[in-house]
């Protein structure tokens, strides 16, 4: 959920809208935010599923340390979505497919 | 690999310590490079929407994000500082060559005459059943998502830990429109400032002491938390179940010290400052000559001390390399040390 009004930070302001594709679905993003932020705002909580135990993982530290939020971004695996800026048209997939390398 | 260019000073980390260090270095006309793995500079300053405590010299009553903007604009004006963002430092060798890469580029190497590690701190995790479920997040994650990216990661929140970070994040969650079900604290009393505690209590948030989290419950994300009294709590033995979709962990910070260990710096133990911290002297110099630390990596404190330490490190280098007269440098160092002492009172 977006915080549109804030008592200290004020209204969210005009920002350029972008479109990204997450596991095949188009979602809205704003210029200057992280990939993880856009995905979270769209209501998605599970960013990937662990390979062996099939456990869900989402945002945990949001500063590039825990790597729970890694995803495949424009073909590059293991991108830390919490410290990577979102770009228009990005194609993003969860690293939860059944193949051996987790892709 | 691109061959090694040399900088007078390389600062790793563009948070309060790194930026304030870069600004002081620029004033001394030291050619400086700042590297940060985030694509936005400012470190944790941008998620600090509260006003700073302390005196005017320490930017009291100014909000964190405004301090960051001020530092950045002053640095840009000097023309002595280059900032590379989105650059992760993977290692530093004995010759003080820094190896880093951006996510879509090859490894690069740059040589530093002096090096400042201002890599900040990371949150200390606590571990309980279900702690890996989506919806369990650190306080820093919640703050950055809310205050920088303007996304509310949950509607009903349980905050673990009543230190200042826990109390402030609870208040900020309320400001952002979330419900805070409770703040729980394993100790018998509230850890943070009573002024922060009073603020959230007035807004109806209970602070439950002598309780800790036992389990995060949910199928694909958190739907409730089970909290349990700690052993020595007076006669209370009831487990409580709290419905929430976000569990926010505010159980302290520890230095982000990976590069310090990799460089082989000497460490010492200081429980009050986050555990093992790189040894440094009064000039912020570490056990390796020409390697300095500043900010939370040198011992977890506040943004105001981090900024002062950054300044101090730059002045020390300025003195060593002859950018400053000795008397002038000593006066500035004494001044910075005095400021630090005042901040730590």
């Amino acid at each position: 959920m977006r915080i549109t009004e804030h008592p200290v930070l004020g209204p969210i302001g005009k920002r350029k809208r972008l479109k990204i594709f997450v596991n095949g679905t188009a979602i809205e993003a704003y210029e200057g935010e992280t990939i993880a932020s856009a995905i979270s705002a769209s209501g998605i909580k599970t960013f990937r599923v662990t390979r062996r135990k099939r456990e869900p993982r989402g945002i945990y530290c949001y500063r590039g340390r825990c790597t729970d939020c890694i995803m495949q971004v424009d073909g590059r695996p293991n991108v830390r979505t919490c410290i990577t800026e979102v770009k228009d048209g990005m194609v993003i997939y969860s690293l939860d497919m059944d193949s051996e390398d987790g892709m | 690999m691109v061959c090694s260019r040399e900088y007078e000073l390389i600062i790793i980390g563009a948070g309060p310590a790194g930026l304030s260090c870069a600004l002081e270095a620029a004033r001394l006309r030291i050619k400086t490079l700042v590297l940060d793995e985030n694509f936005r500079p400012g470190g944790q300053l941008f998620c600090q929407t509260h006003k700073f405590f302390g005196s005017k010299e320490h930017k009291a009553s100014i909000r964190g994000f405004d301090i960051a903007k001020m530092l950045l604009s002053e640095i840009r004006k000097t023309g002595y500082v280059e900032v590379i963002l989105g650059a992760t430092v993977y290692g530093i060798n004995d010759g003080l060559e820094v190896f880093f890469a951006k996510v879509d580029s090859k490894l690069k190497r740059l040589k530093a005459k002096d090096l400042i590690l201002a890599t900040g701190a990371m949150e200390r995790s606590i571990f309980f059943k279900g702690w890996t479920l989506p919806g369990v997040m650190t306080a820093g994650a919640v703050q950055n998502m809310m205050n920088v990216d303007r996304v509310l990661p949950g509607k009903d929140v349980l905050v673990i830990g009543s230190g200042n970070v826990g109390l402030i994040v609870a208040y900020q969650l309320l400001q952002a429109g979330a419900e805070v079900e409770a703040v729980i604290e394993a100790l018998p009393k509230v850890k943070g400032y009573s002024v922060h505690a009073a603020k959230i209590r007035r807004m109806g948030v209970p602070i439950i002491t002598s309780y800790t989290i036992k389990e995060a419950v949910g199928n694909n994300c958190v739907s409730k938390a089970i909290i349990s009294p700690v052993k020595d709590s007076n006669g209370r033995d009831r487990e409580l179940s709290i419905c929430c979709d976000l569990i926010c962990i505010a159980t302290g910070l520890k230095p982000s010290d990976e590069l310090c260990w990799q460089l082989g710096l000497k460490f010492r133990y200081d429980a009050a400052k986050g555990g093992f911290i790189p040894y440094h002297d009064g000039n912020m110099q570490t056990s390796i000559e020409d390697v300095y630390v500043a900010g939370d990596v040198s011992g977890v404190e506040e943004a105001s001390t981090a900024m002062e330490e950054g300044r101090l490190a730059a002045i020390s280098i300025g003195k060593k390399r002859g950018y400053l007269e000795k008397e002038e440098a000593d006066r500035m160092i004494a001044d910075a040390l005095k400021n630090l002492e005042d901040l730590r009172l």
Side-chain angles (χ1 to χ4, degrees):
Chain A
M1 196 180 79
R2 296 277 176 193
I3 303 164
T4 48
E5 288 295 330
H6 194 284
V8 176
L9 298 167
I12 197 162
K14 271 220 154 121
R15 294 186 295 174
K16 198 175 158 200
R17 284 180 189 203
L18 314 173
K19 195 158 74 169
I20 60 171
F21 300 89
V22 179
N23 293 326
T25 307
I27 68 166
E28 193 175 68
Y30 288 99
E31 193 174 58
E33 72 175 336
T34 66
I35 298 172
S37 153
I39 293 176
S40 175
S42 79
I44 297 170
K45 289 196 167 190
T46 299
F47 281 48
R48 66 186 177 98
V49 175
T50 60
R51 185 146 55 91
R52 255 175 280 163
K53 294 191 179 169
R54 318 296 298 167
E55 290 175 350
R57 292 286 189 274
I59 295 172
Y60 180 69
C61 81
Y62 208 64
R63 61 174 73 175
R65 296 270 73 83
C66 76
T67 66
D68 259 7
C69 69
I70 54 171
M71 297 182 91
Q72 181 191 314
V73 178
D74 288 341
R76 265 196 323 270
N78 305 326
V79 173
R80 293 174 289 177
T81 58
C82 67
I83 58 164
T84 308
E85 186 174 10
V86 74
K87 297 277 184 234
D88 197 30
M90 268 181 169
V91 177
I92 298 159
Y93 285 101
S94 291
L95 300 164
D96 59 356
M97 306 306 157
D98 288 322
S99 70
E100 269 303 288
D101 58 0
M103 293 278 300
Chain B
M1 197 179 312
V2 177
C3 81
S4 187
R5 262 172 68 201
E6 187 174 88
Y7 282 82
E8 299 291 306
L9 174 60
I10 296 182
I11 301 169
I12 302 172
L19 290 182
S20 143
C21 180
L23 180 58
E24 193 62 42
R27 284 180 182 146
L28 302 175
R29 298 167 183 253
I30 302 174
K31 204 102 187 90
T32 301
L33 171 71
V34 183
L35 298 169
D36 194 300
E37 74 173 334
N38 294 282
F39 66 89
R40 299 179 285 218
Q44 300 308 306
L45 278 173
F46 271 107
C47 70
Q48 302 190 347
T49 53
H50 58 283
K51 291 178 180 170
F52 277 44
F53 288 159
S55 60
K56 210 164 82 191
E57 299 87 83
H58 304 134
K59 307 199 160 44
S61 83
I62 306 177
R63 300 182 194 272
F65 55 86
D66 286 326
I67 296 176
K69 282 183 203 155
M70 280 163 53
L71 281 171
L72 285 166
S73 91
E74 283 179 55
I75 286 170
R76 276 192 202 109
K77 274 185 242 158
T78 67
Y80 272 86
V81 182
E82 192 183 327
V83 183
I84 304 180
L85 298 170
T88 302
V89 174
Y90 290 93
I92 302 158
N93 65 16
D94 291 341
L96 295 195
E97 283 178 309
V98 177
F99 295 77
F100 70 96
K102 297 181 78 141
V103 76
D104 50 2
S105 70
K106 284 191 178 139
L107 198 65
K108 285 194 178 117
R109 143 173 98 164
L110 293 172
K111 169 135 179 52
K113 227 183 225 172
D114 284 291
L115 184 68
I116 294 181
L117 303 172
T119 45
M122 61 185 287
E123 325 242 349
R124 207 173 266 293
S125 295
I126 55 166
F127 310 106
F128 46 88
K129 196 175 172 198
W131 78 283
T132 54
L133 269 179
V136 179
M137 271 181 216
T138 68
V142 173
Q143 277 191 312
N144 274 295
M145 290 184 75
M146 286 190 309
N147 301 339
V148 182
D149 286 316
R150 303 286 294 254
V151 172
L152 194 58
K155 291 189 189 86
D156 295 296
V157 192
L158 174 67
V159 177
I160 316 293
S162 73
N164 284 326
V165 173
L167 298 176
I168 288 172
V169 80
Y171 185 67
Q172 293 178 346
L173 277 158
L174 295 168
Q175 284 183 318
E179 295 275 340
V180 179
E181 300 300 328
V183 175
I184 65 167
E185 169 59 55
L187 291 176
K189 63 177 191 134
V190 175
K191 270 183 85 185
Y193 294 142
S194 48
V195 49
H196 294 319
K199 230 180 189 174
I200 62 165
R201 278 203 181 105
R202 272 202 302 276
M203 295 174 82
V205 176
I207 304 179
I208 307 172
T209 54
S210 297
Y211 263 85
T212 189
I213 183 157
K214 190 182 166 196
E215 187 180 346
V217 184
N219 281 331
N220 286 313
C221 56
V222 172
S223 61
K224 70 174 182 180
I226 295 168
I227 64 168
S228 166
V230 292
K231 252 187 192 153
D232 54 351
S233 62
N234 312 336
R236 287 192 293 176
D237 55 3
R238 237 164 22 101
E239 275 185 11
L240 298 173
S241 168
I242 293 179
C243 282
C244 55
D245 60 356
L246 176 63
I247 296 172
C248 175
I249 311 284
T251 49
L253 296 151
K254 59 181 180 182
S256 286
D257 53 9
E258 297 94 335
L259 291 171
C260 299
W261 287 108
Q262 193 256 334
L263 262 167
L265 298 184
K266 216 156 90 183
F267 275 73
R268 66 183 182 84
Y269 192 80
D270 186 338
K273 291 197 172 175
F276 282 102
I277 57 174
Y279 164 82
H280 58 87
D281 67 9
N283 296 320
M284 307 312 293
Q285 191 174 28
T286 67
S287 57
I288 296 182
E289 214 191 343
D290 305 336
V291 177
Y292 295 72
V293 282
D296 277 354
V297 72
S298 72
V300 176
E301 292 182 281
E302 308 253 334
S304 31
T305 45
M307 288 188 282
E308 204 58 51
E309 286 174 348
R311 246 191 89 219
L312 177 57
I315 298 164
S316 305
I317 290 166
K319 180 186 170 187
K320 181 178 73 180
R321 300 285 181 198
Y323 288 93
L324 274 166
E325 297 291 331
K326 191 182 171 300
E327 290 76 37
E328 170 75 353
D330 288 339
R331 192 190 56 72
M332 288 171 78
I333 288 171
D335 183 54
L337 289 172
K338 170 79 174 50
N339 283 343
L340 278 171
E341 203 179 297
D342 292 349
L343 284 167
R344 285 171 180 147
L345 274 182

